[in-house]
Amino acid sequence: MSLFRTKNLDDMVAQSRAAGGLKKVLGPLDLVLMGIGAIVGTGIFVLTGTGALTAGPALTLSFVIAAMACGFAALCYAEFASTIPVAGSIYTYSYATMGELVAWMIGWDLLLEYGLATSAVSVGWSGYFQSLIGGLGIKLPVALTAAPGSIPGVDTLFNLPAMVIMLILTAMLSFGVRESARINSVMVVIKIAVVLLFIVVGARYVEPANWQPFMPFGMKGTMSAAALVFFAFIGFDAVTSAAEEVKRPERDLPIGIIGSLVVCTILYVIVSAIMTGIVPYQQFAGVDHPVSLALQYAKQNWVAGFVDLGAILGMTTVILVMSYGQTRVIYAMSRDGLLPKRLSAVHPKFGTPFFATWMVGIVFGLIAAVVPLGVLAELINIGTLAAFCLVSVAVIVLRKTRPDLHRAFRCPGVPVVPGLAIIFCLALMTFLSNTTWIAFGIWLLIGLVVYFAYSRRNSLLNTQK
């Protein structure tokens, strides 16, 4: 079998519509809120402080640059999602355009991206949660507060809150996507209300002098911050993983993808401008709660408490949606024979990939409990940027190979817009560390071993030859 043999598009769509598959229960509002739920979290509540130290007040420009890279890629995602409404996101699109080996490698990449994102955000959630209950006089045993080696000089063994939140959200996802979407929507509305509260209150305390000089570290600092805060936009692509559970995917998926990205970009730019306008950017050194710090700086501690609550809810929805996205990628890869069949088994009552959902929750919950946050975060950005490059290439390829294909949404300006997405993403990748590149290469080599040892022989395309 050719390593680059593609799947038939018509067969893929027919398979997604077959009886016994995933339930079609999601509408456009569900998807927009799902996208916002995945995006607004660690990025806005934690990374804004680190980004300010790298770019200064030009952090707002860093967010715009990162958003442009995501925006070009989002248009490509929207075309694919509306044309091929099948679970699996870029893995599925690659299988239809560039063949099995490319699809496997990007699917393997997504497993790392989504999985480590849930683990990393779970660790951040644990920190905010412990801060919240600490204010109520409740403290966990030190050994259960963080992974080994997370806190210098402190004997920590296991991050219990990170593991517990992963298991709670896993249970929600396993019992039904509609119920999970409703809970996500409620939490998204609350955390957006908290962000708007920060904007309304914080805007009165902005000192324009704090924005001077605007770009203290030059364009290099601005681009380095853009590569860092890119993490803040990870998640909108998880919306495409819901393709098989959307009532009208040809219309609703583009709305969910582009709508959630636009809303979050506007919020990020405004929040970062207000933060750096209230607090001199140098003051964010060593701070893991920059938004609430800005309010404390303005002596608005009562609002800072609401922000901490919003951060907890924000991170909860990120974990929920990214876990959801990963289980759907695993479901699609298993259905194609590249992973064991049990991972694509759908529960007869709940209509969810029950076993795969619990496997993801337990494995990455344990990773969150025993691996420090710094180690978890290293690979997430590069994996996402690689996926965005590939979906942009895939749009150009499919336009050439299947110009007759009905496209409910068409990415404008092909091949210019996909080309810009590739250029922006590659540019951001060059600002990532050598350690990140080496670790990413090792992960891909492991993926090649798994593919040739198991997946290629068990692929449905191979068995149907």
Side-chain angles (χ1 to χ4, degrees), residues 62-351:
S62 300
F63 273 117
V64 171
I65 293 170
M68 289 177 67
C70 292
F72 292 133
L75 293 171
C76 299
Y77 268 104
E79 175 168 324
F80 265 115
S82 62
T83 306
I84 313 173
V86 181
S89 187
I90 180 58
Y91 158 75
T92 298
Y93 312 148
S94 299
Y95 216 152
T97 55
M98 290 178 280
E100 183 173 280
L101 180 60
V102 176
W104 163 261
M105 293 308 294
I106 203 62
W108 186 252
D109 171 36
L110 290 177
L111 296 186
L112 182 73
E113 174 202 336
Y114 287 164
L116 293 188
T118 59
S119 298
V121 177
S122 296
V123 175
W125 184 97
S126 174
Y128 269 92
F129 176 75
Q130 291 181 58
S131 175
L132 181 66
I133 64 174
L136 301 175
I138 303 173
K139 292 189 179 296
L140 296 175
V142 173
L144 301 179
T145 59
S150 296
I151 307 173
V154 179
D155 293 329
T156 53
L157 298 175
F158 192 85
N159 195 326
L160 181 62
M163 180 71 182
V164 169
I165 189 60
M166 281 290 291
L167 294 181
I168 291 173
L169 296 180
T170 296
M172 287 172 50
L173 287 171
S174 67
F175 294 138
V177 67
R178 176 184 292 171
E179 293 75 12
S180 299
R182 288 173 178 168
I183 295 172
N184 174 73
S185 297
V186 172
M187 289 191 290
V188 167
V189 169
I190 295 173
K191 73 177 178 181
I192 293 301
V194 169
V195 172
L196 293 176
L197 177 63
F198 167 79
I199 292 172
V200 171
V201 174
R204 294 180 293 170
Y205 297 93
V206 168
E207 294 289 345
N210 289 330
W211 291 331
Q212 301 298 327
F214 179 70
M215 200 180 290
F217 305 106
M219 198 62 196
K220 182 178 180 180
T222 303
M223 288 297 294
S224 296
L228 172 69
V229 300
F230 181 84
F231 179 87
F233 291 99
I234 292 175
F236 79 85
D237 55 318
V239 173
T240 63
S241 300
E244 282 187 43
E245 293 156 281
V246 179
K247 298 173 185 176
R248 297 180 61 184
E250 66 284 348
R251 181 201 68 173
D252 297 346
L253 282 166
I255 293 174
I257 295 168
I258 297 171
S260 59
L261 185 60
V262 170
V263 170
C264 293
T265 301
I266 294 171
L267 291 176
Y268 281 173
V269 170
I270 296 174
V271 167
S272 59
I274 292 175
M275 275 178 44
T276 54
I278 297 175
V279 183
Y281 70 88
Q282 300 93 336
Q283 300 297 318
F284 290 111
V287 173
D288 59 4
H289 55 287
V291 178
S292 56
L293 172 70
L295 291 168
Q296 292 165 3
Y297 204 85
K299 295 182 171 50
Q300 296 294 315
N301 292 329
W302 68 275
V303 184
F306 281 107
V307 168
D308 287 343
L309 176 61
I312 291 174
L313 293 177
M315 294 182 191
T316 301
T317 61
V318 173
I319 301 166
L320 182 69
V321 178
M322 297 301 277
S323 296
Y324 169 85
Q326 186 181 39
T327 58
R328 270 42 181 186
V329 172
I330 291 174
Y331 171 84
M333 295 175 75
S334 168
R335 190 170 58 182
D336 292 333
L338 302 182
L339 291 174
K341 275 295 177 187
R342 189 176 182 187
L343 295 174
S344 57
V346 176
H347 195 283
K349 178 180 179 181
F350 305 126

